[in-house]
Amino acid sequence: MQRTGLFLLLLFTALFTRGQQPDTTGTTTLFEKAPMGLVRFYFDDYYYLVDKDCAFKSIERVSQFLVEKNVFHADFRDFDRNGTVILTGYHNQGVKEGLFKAYHPDGTLKWEVTFEQDRPIGDWKYYYPDGKPMLTLNYDDATVKIMAFWDRRGRQRIKDGNGNYEFRMPFAFYNEYGYPFFERKGRIRNGVPRGYWTTQMVDQNEKKILFTEEIFDDSGVLTDGYNLFLDANYRTPMAFIPMSYFYTAERLLSKPCTFDDHSGFNTYLSEKFSAMLRSSQTLTNIEDKFSYEVSLDQEGTPTFVTLKDSLTTKKLNRYLEMVINEIPFYFPSLDQEGNAIADTLTVYGNLSINDAGQFHFHSFRIVREKQP
């Protein structure tokens, strides 16, 4: 992922001050001019900018854009692959204002909320594809509250902020556990979670396995969280309301058109490395690069891993070698028929250490020997 604000500013300057389309031969086209002085932006499912011809492009936004401030402006519409409107709203020089509405692929209302000075106010209402109510969140206070919830059978399980909650959500990006969904379950009192909560992993065959256990106090604050897979405690609860990805569009982040980036696997590597090597009391203000090779079988299991380009800070290489041997899986390469094949991968990454000695691994990139 990369911030593309400066890149956009330079291209917009060329596009609008010269009145010409930018030369996109051999380059990435993240946006183009649209009629009536509007601009068409190209996003993936999670609102990261991608090339217009990328296989993972799924959303197009048509909006005004203020080049000097690098922000969206006025009314906008987002369209899916079939040209169906999936989101409408308004920006006042980059600030969200007024009514925002999202739609299911068949055009029925998915959710609606009003923004004031970039913040949601009042009720955020969600609906099932058949138009029946699903969930009502309230944003009048500093803490978002769950005020109403109906299950798929139409039974109201939460009323006036009190009741029982059981809600399934997909994992947005790659996770090493291999489950596509997780299910949150617990009590809601006065709009916030109370008491004992669980998270279960759910596979495609509806098989469930207990993943986390949590205890919330009367004010909805997590007091105890335990991850059964990692055998570890934590203090930040997992999400229990639907995720909204359209916020990401305003950050103008882009992704290369590779499955490793689109699936979130490169982000997973960043988080995995950063979690294993967190900080140092003696190393500060360092920018470094490294790479390593991985031999994969056709199942994506590493059979041989070796550090290729080591870090300049040699004392860290021993730890780096330990980390690269802890990654249990990579997506296998595919042949021209789409069959998984054994391959050799070269993984490139960057390490930044700030002035407080905190580590951040980022900008991961995977090059496959047998797959372009």
Side-chain angles (χ1 to χ4, degrees):
M1 275 177 284
Q2 54 187 346
R3 176 76 183 184
T4 54
L6 179 58
F7 173 67
L8 284 173
L9 179 60
L10 294 174
L11 284 186
F12 270 114
T13 300
L15 180 61
F16 292 113
T17 60
R18 300 176 187 174
Q20 299 176 347
Q21 291 285 349
D23 179 10
T24 57
T25 303
T27 63
T28 300
T29 302
L30 306 178
F31 62 89
E32 289 181 311
K33 288 180 68 174
M36 302 176 64
L38 301 175
V39 183
R40 188 181 303 274
F41 294 84
Y42 304 109
F43 297 101
D44 68 5
D45 291 321
Y46 307 106
Y47 280 91
Y48 288 92
L49 288 162
V50 292
D51 181 71
K52 64 174 294 187
D53 296 321
C54 178
F56 305 117
K57 185 205 74 177
S58 60
I59 299 170
E60 296 186 8
R61 169 169 293 186
V62 177
S63 172
Q64 291 187 37
F65 191 84
L66 300 181
V67 179
E68 64 277 8
K69 293 189 176 182
N70 216 36
V71 295
F72 299 109
H73 181 61
D75 294 311
F76 73 89
R77 287 176 178 264
D78 292 349
F79 302 86
D80 66 11
R81 292 183 178 92
N82 298 317
T84 301
V85 175
I86 57 172
L87 180 65
T88 62
Y90 178 86
H91 292 96
N92 181 10
Q93 300 187 48
V95 177
K96 292 182 290 294
E97 294 281 3
L99 184 63
F100 276 57
K101 288 186 175 183
Y103 300 89
H104 291 286
D106 64 357
T108 58
L109 187 63
K110 183 177 183 179
W111 56 255
E112 57 185 341
V113 64
T114 297
F115 281 87
E116 186 176 281
Q117 288 294 308
D118 222 33
R119 298 175 61 86
I121 61 170
D123 289 340
W124 191 321
K125 297 181 178 180
Y126 293 81
Y127 305 91
Y128 288 107
D130 62 4
K132 294 180 180 178
M134 179 178 73
L135 180 67
T136 299
L137 309 176
N138 185 268
Y139 284 83
D140 286 337
D141 297 327
T143 302
V144 57
K145 293 186 176 182
I146 299 176
M147 301 307 298
F149 171 67
W150 292 261
D151 64 20
R152 291 188 174 274
R153 297 182 181 180
R155 298 174 299 181
Q156 187 167 6
R157 307 298 297 274
I158 297 174
K159 184 177 181 180
D160 298 327
N162 295 287
N164 295 316
Y165 189 65
E166 186 173 345
F167 196 80
R168 180 177 300 185
M169 287 174 281
F171 280 102
F173 299 111
Y174 171 81
N175 70 85
E176 63 184 336
Y177 307 119
Y179 290 86
F181 305 99
F182 65 96
E183 191 171 84
R184 302 286 273 131
K185 186 175 182 179
R187 291 185 302 158
I188 296 292
R189 294 293 181 267
N190 298 318
V192 297
R194 174 87 63 85
Y196 178 70
W197 275 63
T198 62
T199 307
Q200 291 187 315
M201 296 290 199
V202 186
D203 68 15
Q204 295 177 339
N205 297 317
E206 293 296 312
K207 181 180 178 181
K208 300 180 181 180
I209 184 171
L210 187 61
F211 177 44
T212 72
E213 295 180 298
E214 298 169 335
I215 302 295
F216 292 87
D217 65 17
D218 291 348
S219 62
V221 175
L222 179 68
T223 59
D224 188 19
Y226 181 70
N227 184 318
L228 280 76
F229 283 26
L230 298 179
D231 189 21
N233 294 309
Y234 61 89
R235 297 304 300 271
T236 301
M238 292 187 66
F240 50 85
I241 60 176
M243 300 294 290
S244 296
Y245 300 106
F246 71 96
Y247 288 102
T248 305
E250 298 163 21
R251 299 171 61 192
L252 300 173
L253 297 171
S254 67
K255 278 185 179 178
C257 189
T258 70
F259 184 76
D260 293 303
D261 280 288
H262 176 73
S263 66
F265 188 79
N266 286 347
T267 301
Y268 157 77
L269 288 179
S270 175
E271 294 173 350
K272 189 81 170 178
F273 276 70
S274 297
M276 291 184 177
L277 290 174
R278 292 182 177 273
S279 63
S280 169
Q281 295 181 348
T282 59
L283 300 174
T284 59
N285 297 313
I286 291 176
E287 295 289 337
D288 211 342
K289 297 180 180 181
F290 64 94
S291 68
Y292 62 95
E293 282 189 350
V294 184
S295 297
L296 286 185
D297 63 20
Q298 63 182 18
E299 301 296 327
T301 302
T303 57
F304 182 75
V305 183
T306 182
L307 190 60
K308 185 178 179 182
D309 296 315
S310 59
L311 293 165
T312 305
T313 311
K314 298 187 181 300
K315 62 186 298 185
L316 291 177
N317 287 318
R318 179 168 60 91
Y319 297 101
L320 187 62
E321 289 178 334
M322 292 173 58
V323 176
I324 65 178
N325 282 284
E326 288 291 323
I327 308 300
F329 171 85
Y330 296 79
F331 285 106
S333 297
L334 305 177
D335 62 18
Q336 292 183 346
E337 285 73 39
N339 300 311
I341 56 175
D343 199 358
T344 299
L345 279 55
T346 302
V347 183
Y348 298 89
N350 289 32
L351 168 63
S352 298
I353 306 177
N354 64 17
D355 56 6
Q358 296 174 324
F359 287 55
H360 176 49
F361 288 86
H362 61 95
S363 303
F364 278 86
R365 179 170 59 94
I366 297 177
V367 176
R368 298 170 180 271
E369 186 175 287
K370 298 180 181 178
Q371 177 181 306

mmCIF file of all heavy atoms in Angstrom, residues 67-94:
data_model
loop_
_atom_site.group_PDB
_atom_site.id
_atom_site.type_symbol
_atom_site.label_atom_id
_atom_site.label_comp_id
_atom_site.label_asym_id
_atom_site.label_seq_id
_atom_site.Cartn_x
_atom_site.Cartn_y
_atom_site.Cartn_z
ATOM 1 N N VAL A 67 -8.052 19.753 -6.485
ATOM 2 C CA VAL A 67 -6.647 19.405 -6.641
ATOM 3 C C VAL A 67 -5.782 20.078 -5.583
ATOM 4 O O VAL A 67 -4.892 19.462 -4.988
ATOM 5 C CB VAL A 67 -6.161 19.806 -8.046
ATOM 6 C CG1 VAL A 67 -4.685 19.474 -8.223
ATOM 7 C CG2 VAL A 67 -6.993 19.134 -9.111
ATOM 8 N N GLU A 68 -6.047 21.379 -5.312
ATOM 9 C CA GLU A 68 -5.193 22.117 -4.395
ATOM 10 C C GLU A 68 -5.267 21.593 -2.963
ATOM 11 O O GLU A 68 -4.344 21.749 -2.176
ATOM 12 C CB GLU A 68 -5.561 23.608 -4.420
ATOM 13 C CG GLU A 68 -6.971 23.943 -3.916
ATOM 14 C CD GLU A 68 -8.054 23.763 -4.964
ATOM 15 O OE1 GLU A 68 -7.739 23.226 -6.045
ATOM 16 O OE2 GLU A 68 -9.207 24.156 -4.702
ATOM 17 N N LYS A 69 -6.410 20.920 -2.621
ATOM 18 C CA LYS A 69 -6.550 20.367 -1.269
ATOM 19 C C LYS A 69 -6.486 18.844 -1.255
ATOM 20 O O LYS A 69 -6.484 18.239 -0.192
ATOM 21 C CB LYS A 69 -7.863 20.838 -0.648
ATOM 22 C CG LYS A 69 -7.900 22.335 -0.370
ATOM 23 C CD LYS A 69 -9.132 22.710 0.443
ATOM 24 C CE LYS A 69 -9.110 24.200 0.794
ATOM 25 N NZ LYS A 69 -10.279 24.583 1.633
ATOM 26 N N ASN A 70 -6.475 18.240 -2.446
ATOM 27 C CA ASN A 70 -6.368 16.786 -2.549
ATOM 28 C C ASN A 70 -7.540 16.076 -1.876
ATOM 29 O O ASN A 70 -7.361 15.078 -1.176
ATOM 30 C CB ASN A 70 -5.044 16.321 -1.942
ATOM 31 C CG ASN A 70 -4.454 15.139 -2.706
ATOM 32 O OD1 ASN A 70 -4.577 15.074 -3.922
ATOM 33 N ND2 ASN A 70 -3.836 14.220 -1.995
ATOM 34 N N VAL A 71 -8.774 16.582 -2.088
ATOM 35 C CA VAL A 71 -9.949 16.025 -1.421
ATOM 36 C C VAL A 71 -11.125 15.940 -2.393
ATOM 37 O O VAL A 71 -11.197 16.660 -3.395
ATOM 38 C CB VAL A 71 -10.366 16.879 -0.199
ATOM 39 C CG1 VAL A 71 -9.289 16.846 0.873
ATOM 40 C CG2 VAL A 71 -10.679 18.319 -0.616
ATOM 41 N N PHE A 72 -12.072 15.050 -2.066
ATOM 42 C CA PHE A 72 -13.332 14.986 -2.795
ATOM 43 C C PHE A 72 -14.189 16.188 -2.424
ATOM 44 O O PHE A 72 -14.098 16.734 -1.318
ATOM 45 C CB PHE A 72 -14.088 13.698 -2.459
ATOM 46 C CG PHE A 72 -13.349 12.450 -2.827
ATOM 47 C CD1 PHE A 72 -12.815 11.624 -1.854
ATOM 48 C CD2 PHE A 72 -13.185 12.092 -4.154
ATOM 49 C CE1 PHE A 72 -12.133 10.475 -2.182
ATOM 50 C CE2 PHE A 72 -12.507 10.933 -4.504
ATOM 51 C CZ PHE A 72 -11.981 10.127 -3.519
ATOM 52 N N HIS A 73 -15.096 16.573 -3.373
ATOM 53 C CA HIS A 73 -15.958 17.723 -3.127
ATOM 54 C C HIS A 73 -17.300 17.513 -3.826
ATOM 55 O O HIS A 73 -17.362 16.935 -4.911
ATOM 56 C CB HIS A 73 -15.302 19.009 -3.639
ATOM 57 C CG HIS A 73 -16.114 20.233 -3.401
ATOM 58 N ND1 HIS A 73 -16.461 20.668 -2.134
ATOM 59 C CD2 HIS A 73 -16.674 21.128 -4.265
ATOM 60 C CE1 HIS A 73 -17.176 21.775 -2.217
ATOM 61 N NE2 HIS A 73 -17.332 22.067 -3.513
ATOM 62 N N ALA A 74 -18.382 17.967 -3.157
ATOM 63 C CA ALA A 74 -19.747 17.938 -3.688
ATOM 64 C C ALA A 74 -20.290 16.494 -3.711
ATOM 65 O O ALA A 74 -19.736 15.583 -3.096
ATOM 66 C CB ALA A 74 -19.815 18.589 -5.060
ATOM 67 N N ASP A 75 -21.387 16.310 -4.448
ATOM 68 C CA ASP A 75 -22.030 14.992 -4.501
ATOM 69 C C ASP A 75 -21.138 13.972 -5.210
ATOM 70 O O ASP A 75 -20.406 14.312 -6.137
ATOM 71 C CB ASP A 75 -23.367 15.081 -5.255
ATOM 72 C CG ASP A 75 -24.399 15.920 -4.525
ATOM 73 O OD1 ASP A 75 -24.590 15.696 -3.317
ATOM 74 O OD2 ASP A 75 -25.007 16.797 -5.160
ATOM 75 N N PHE A 76 -21.229 12.727 -4.765
ATOM 76 C CA PHE A 76 -20.513 11.651 -5.451
ATOM 77 C C PHE A 76 -21.418 10.428 -5.543
ATOM 78 O O PHE A 76 -22.378 10.273 -4.797
ATOM 79 C CB PHE A 76 -19.212 11.282 -4.716
ATOM 80 C CG PHE A 76 -19.422 10.516 -3.433
ATOM 81 C CD1 PHE A 76 -19.496 9.131 -3.447
ATOM 82 C CD2 PHE A 76 -19.547 11.175 -2.225
ATOM 83 C CE1 PHE A 76 -19.700 8.410 -2.266
ATOM 84 C CE2 PHE A 76 -19.750 10.476 -1.037
ATOM 85 C CZ PHE A 76 -19.820 9.088 -1.065
ATOM 86 N N ARG A 77 -21.082 9.564 -6.470
ATOM 87 C CA ARG A 77 -21.757 8.277 -6.626
ATOM 88 C C ARG A 77 -20.711 7.194 -6.841
ATOM 89 O O ARG A 77 -19.761 7.387 -7.597
ATOM 90 C CB ARG A 77 -22.716 8.291 -7.820
ATOM 91 C CG ARG A 77 -23.988 9.092 -7.592
ATOM 92 C CD ARG A 77 -24.838 9.149 -8.862
ATOM 93 N NE ARG A 77 -26.068 9.876 -8.622
ATOM 94 C CZ ARG A 77 -27.226 9.314 -8.313
ATOM 95 N NH1 ARG A 77 -27.301 8.002 -8.230
ATOM 96 N NH2 ARG A 77 -28.308 10.039 -8.103
ATOM 97 N N ASP A 78 -20.903 6.062 -6.167
ATOM 98 C CA ASP A 78 -20.050 4.898 -6.360
ATOM 99 C C ASP A 78 -20.845 3.819 -7.082
ATOM 100 O O ASP A 78 -22.011 3.553 -6.742
ATOM 101 C CB ASP A 78 -19.554 4.351 -5.016
ATOM 102 C CG ASP A 78 -18.583 5.293 -4.330
ATOM 103 O OD1 ASP A 78 -18.139 6.258 -4.968
ATOM 104 O OD2 ASP A 78 -18.273 5.049 -3.149
ATOM 105 N N PHE A 79 -20.194 3.151 -8.071
ATOM 106 C CA PHE A 79 -20.844 2.126 -8.883
ATOM 107 C C PHE A 79 -20.083 0.812 -8.751
ATOM 108 O O PHE A 79 -18.854 0.800 -8.620
ATOM 109 C CB PHE A 79 -20.860 2.539 -10.364
ATOM 110 C CG PHE A 79 -21.556 3.851 -10.627
ATOM 111 C CD1 PHE A 79 -20.871 5.055 -10.521
ATOM 112 C CD2 PHE A 79 -22.892 3.879 -10.984
ATOM 113 C CE1 PHE A 79 -21.492 6.266 -10.772
ATOM 114 C CE2 PHE A 79 -23.536 5.084 -11.245
ATOM 115 C CZ PHE A 79 -22.844 6.285 -11.128
ATOM 116 N N ASP A 80 -20.812 -0.317 -8.797
ATOM 117 C CA ASP A 80 -20.145 -1.613 -8.782
ATOM 118 C C ASP A 80 -19.805 -2.045 -10.203
ATOM 119 O O ASP A 80 -19.934 -1.268 -11.158
ATOM 120 C CB ASP A 80 -21.006 -2.664 -8.065
ATOM 121 C CG ASP A 80 -22.313 -2.984 -8.808
ATOM 122 O OD1 ASP A 80 -22.473 -2.561 -9.967
ATOM 123 O OD2 ASP A 80 -23.175 -3.662 -8.212
ATOM 124 N N ARG A 81 -19.345 -3.280 -10.372
ATOM 125 C CA ARG A 81 -18.901 -3.773 -11.681
ATOM 126 C C ARG A 81 -20.010 -3.750 -12.728
ATOM 127 O O ARG A 81 -19.751 -3.666 -13.926
ATOM 128 C CB ARG A 81 -18.378 -5.209 -11.559
ATOM 129 C CG ARG A 81 -17.076 -5.347 -10.778
ATOM 130 C CD ARG A 81 -16.618 -6.793 -10.791
ATOM 131 N NE ARG A 81 -15.352 -6.975 -10.107
ATOM 132 C CZ ARG A 81 -15.244 -7.281 -8.826
ATOM 133 N NH1 ARG A 81 -16.355 -7.389 -8.083
ATOM 134 N NH2 ARG A 81 -14.067 -7.442 -8.264
ATOM 135 N N ASN A 82 -21.263 -3.860 -12.257
ATOM 136 C CA ASN A 82 -22.396 -3.891 -13.175
ATOM 137 C C ASN A 82 -22.983 -2.506 -13.442
ATOM 138 O O ASN A 82 -24.001 -2.395 -14.122
ATOM 139 C CB ASN A 82 -23.489 -4.809 -12.617
ATOM 140 C CG ASN A 82 -23.024 -6.235 -12.460
ATOM 141 O OD1 ASN A 82 -22.345 -6.772 -13.344
ATOM 142 N ND2 ASN A 82 -23.364 -6.858 -11.338
ATOM 143 N N GLY A 83 -22.346 -1.465 -12.901
ATOM 144 C CA GLY A 83 -22.842 -0.122 -13.095
ATOM 145 C C GLY A 83 -23.971 0.266 -12.162
ATOM 146 O O GLY A 83 -24.614 1.307 -12.348
ATOM 147 N N THR A 84 -24.234 -0.551 -11.134
ATOM 148 C CA THR A 84 -25.279 -0.264 -10.154
ATOM 149 C C THR A 84 -24.744 0.679 -9.083
ATOM 150 O O THR A 84 -23.624 0.477 -8.575
ATOM 151 C CB THR A 84 -25.776 -1.565 -9.490
ATOM 152 O OG1 THR A 84 -26.276 -2.446 -10.496
ATOM 153 C CG2 THR A 84 -26.880 -1.266 -8.478
ATOM 154 N N VAL A 85 -25.511 1.681 -8.718
ATOM 155 C CA VAL A 85 -25.104 2.605 -7.658
ATOM 156 C C VAL A 85 -25.086 1.867 -6.327
ATOM 157 O O VAL A 85 -26.069 1.225 -5.940
ATOM 158 C CB VAL A 85 -26.061 3.808 -7.578
ATOM 159 C CG1 VAL A 85 -25.702 4.691 -6.383
ATOM 160 C CG2 VAL A 85 -26.015 4.626 -8.859
ATOM 161 N N ILE A 86 -23.958 1.938 -5.610
ATOM 162 C CA ILE A 86 -23.843 1.252 -4.314
ATOM 163 C C ILE A 86 -23.633 2.224 -3.153
ATOM 164 O O ILE A 86 -23.760 1.837 -1.996
ATOM 165 C CB ILE A 86 -22.705 0.219 -4.330
ATOM 166 C CG1 ILE A 86 -21.369 0.875 -4.695
ATOM 167 C CG2 ILE A 86 -23.040 -0.928 -5.268
ATOM 168 C CD1 ILE A 86 -20.179 -0.053 -4.543
ATOM 169 N N LEU A 87 -23.306 3.510 -3.448
ATOM 170 C CA LEU A 87 -23.120 4.482 -2.374
ATOM 171 C C LEU A 87 -23.277 5.888 -2.942
ATOM 172 O O LEU A 87 -22.769 6.195 -4.020
ATOM 173 C CB LEU A 87 -21.728 4.336 -1.745
ATOM 174 C CG LEU A 87 -21.391 5.306 -0.600
ATOM 175 C CD1 LEU A 87 -22.290 5.058 0.608
ATOM 176 C CD2 LEU A 87 -19.927 5.187 -0.185
ATOM 177 N N THR A 88 -23.996 6.742 -2.205
ATOM 178 C CA THR A 88 -24.111 8.156 -2.553
ATOM 179 C C THR A 88 -23.845 8.988 -1.310
ATOM 180 O O THR A 88 -24.093 8.550 -0.180
ATOM 181 C CB THR A 88 -25.509 8.500 -3.097
ATOM 182 O OG1 THR A 88 -26.499 8.246 -2.079
ATOM 183 C CG2 THR A 88 -25.836 7.690 -4.333
ATOM 184 N N GLY A 89 -23.328 10.185 -1.514
ATOM 185 C CA GLY A 89 -23.059 11.067 -0.383
ATOM 186 C C GLY A 89 -22.548 12.406 -0.862
ATOM 187 O O GLY A 89 -22.577 12.717 -2.063
ATOM 188 N N TYR A 90 -22.048 13.196 0.082
ATOM 189 C CA TYR A 90 -21.623 14.570 -0.224
ATOM 190 C C TYR A 90 -20.415 14.923 0.624
ATOM 191 O O TYR A 90 -20.344 14.604 1.821
ATOM 192 C CB TYR A 90 -22.771 15.540 0.077
ATOM 193 C CG TYR A 90 -22.433 16.991 -0.150
ATOM 194 C CD1 TYR A 90 -22.558 17.581 -1.405
ATOM 195 C CD2 TYR A 90 -21.967 17.790 0.901
ATOM 196 C CE1 TYR A 90 -22.235 18.925 -1.615
ATOM 197 C CE2 TYR A 90 -21.645 19.128 0.710
ATOM 198 C CZ TYR A 90 -21.781 19.688 -0.550
ATOM 199 O OH TYR A 90 -21.465 21.008 -0.754
ATOM 200 N N HIS A 91 -19.428 15.571 -0.015
ATOM 201 C CA HIS A 91 -18.267 16.110 0.692
ATOM 202 C C HIS A 91 -18.231 17.629 0.521
ATOM 203 O O HIS A 91 -18.422 18.126 -0.599
ATOM 204 C CB HIS A 91 -16.955 15.541 0.145
ATOM 205 C CG HIS A 91 -16.756 14.086 0.412
ATOM 206 N ND1 HIS A 91 -17.078 13.120 -0.516
ATOM 207 C CD2 HIS A 91 -16.265 13.434 1.501
ATOM 208 C CE1 HIS A 91 -16.778 11.925 -0.011
ATOM 209 N NE2 HIS A 91 -16.286 12.086 1.205
ATOM 210 N N ASN A 92 -17.989 18.325 1.586
ATOM 211 C CA ASN A 92 -17.745 19.769 1.523
ATOM 212 C C ASN A 92 -16.253 19.986 1.721
ATOM 213 O O ASN A 92 -15.760 20.015 2.831
ATOM 214 C CB ASN A 92 -18.548 20.498 2.596
ATOM 215 C CG ASN A 92 -18.355 22.007 2.549
ATOM 216 O OD1 ASN A 92 -17.764 22.536 1.598
ATOM 217 N ND2 ASN A 92 -18.829 22.705 3.557
ATOM 218 N N GLN A 93 -15.520 20.064 0.602
ATOM 219 C CA GLN A 93 -14.069 20.198 0.629
ATOM 220 C C GLN A 93 -13.424 19.110 1.488
ATOM 221 O O GLN A 93 -12.598 19.368 2.353
ATOM 222 C CB GLN A 93 -13.662 21.588 1.122
ATOM 223 C CG GLN A 93 -14.193 22.713 0.250
ATOM 224 C CD GLN A 93 -13.647 24.075 0.640
ATOM 225 O OE1 GLN A 93 -12.444 24.224 0.827
ATOM 226 N NE2 GLN A 93 -14.530 25.062 0.742
ATOM 227 N N GLY A 94 -13.830 17.898 1.234
ATOM 228 C CA GLY A 94 -13.245 16.751 1.911
ATOM 229 C C GLY A 94 -13.939 16.329 3.180
ATOM 230 O O GLY A 94 -13.626 15.272 3.736
#
